[in-house]
């Protein structure tokens, strides 16, 4: 953001900024996902909602990102709200 104005017009700048914003949003959601209120049953519900089959013992950050968590944020948030209500 502190770059010269001419740089802001480059396609690569716009693409890079979109990626950075996506990672920022992902990070906020990932921070919520590490909560102790999410039990295995909640993760199973998340996987069902996303139509994925993760091995929770070996779940990687890449697998979560591949699920396009920013666009599908609501699916995660709905389960997190439910889990927090049970806590």
């Amino acid at each position: 953001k502190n770059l010269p104005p001419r740089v802001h017009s480059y396609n690569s700048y716009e693409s890079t900024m979109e990626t950075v914003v996506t990672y920022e949003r992902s990070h906020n959601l990932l921070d919520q996902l590490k909560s102790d209120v999410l039990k295995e049953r909640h993760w199973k519900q998340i996987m069902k909602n996303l139509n994925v089959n993760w091995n929770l013992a070996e779940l990687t950050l890449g697998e979560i990102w591949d699920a396009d968590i920013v666009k599908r944020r609501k699916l995660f948030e709905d389960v997190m709200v439910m889990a927090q209500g049970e806590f």
Side-chain angles (χ1 to χ4, degrees):
K1 293 182 181 181
N2 296 328
L3 298 172
R6 72 180 190 293
V7 173
H8 293 242
S9 66
Y10 299 157
N11 288 337
S12 60
Y13 173 81
E14 292 176 19
S15 174
T16 301
M17 285 307 297
E18 287 176 19
T19 301
V20 168
V21 168
T22 298
Y23 282 131
E24 284 177 340
R25 290 181 183 151
S26 297
H27 178 71
N28 292 337
L29 184 56
L30 290 168
D31 193 45
Q32 294 173 17
L33 289 175
K34 68 179 186 179
S35 171
D36 290 338
V37 300
L38 285 176
K39 305 297 182 201
E40 185 173 345
R41 67 180 176 278
H42 301 118
W43 280 102
K44 287 181 179 180
Q45 184 64 46
I46 288 171
M47 290 188 294
K48 180 181 176 188
N49 292 349
L50 295 173
N51 197 29
V52 296
N53 188 21
W54 292 327
N55 178 346
L56 295 178
E58 298 177 9
L59 183 61
T60 66
L61 184 57
E63 290 174 306
I64 295 173
W65 275 336
D66 288 344
D68 206 0
I69 63 174
V70 172
K71 289 183 182 174
R72 301 166 95 183
R73 179 180 196 107
K74 179 95 171 91
L75 296 173
F76 286 94
E77 289 175 340
D78 290 346
V79 174
M80 286 188 289
V81 167
M82 180 180 63
Q84 289 168 347
E86 294 173 5
F87 190 66

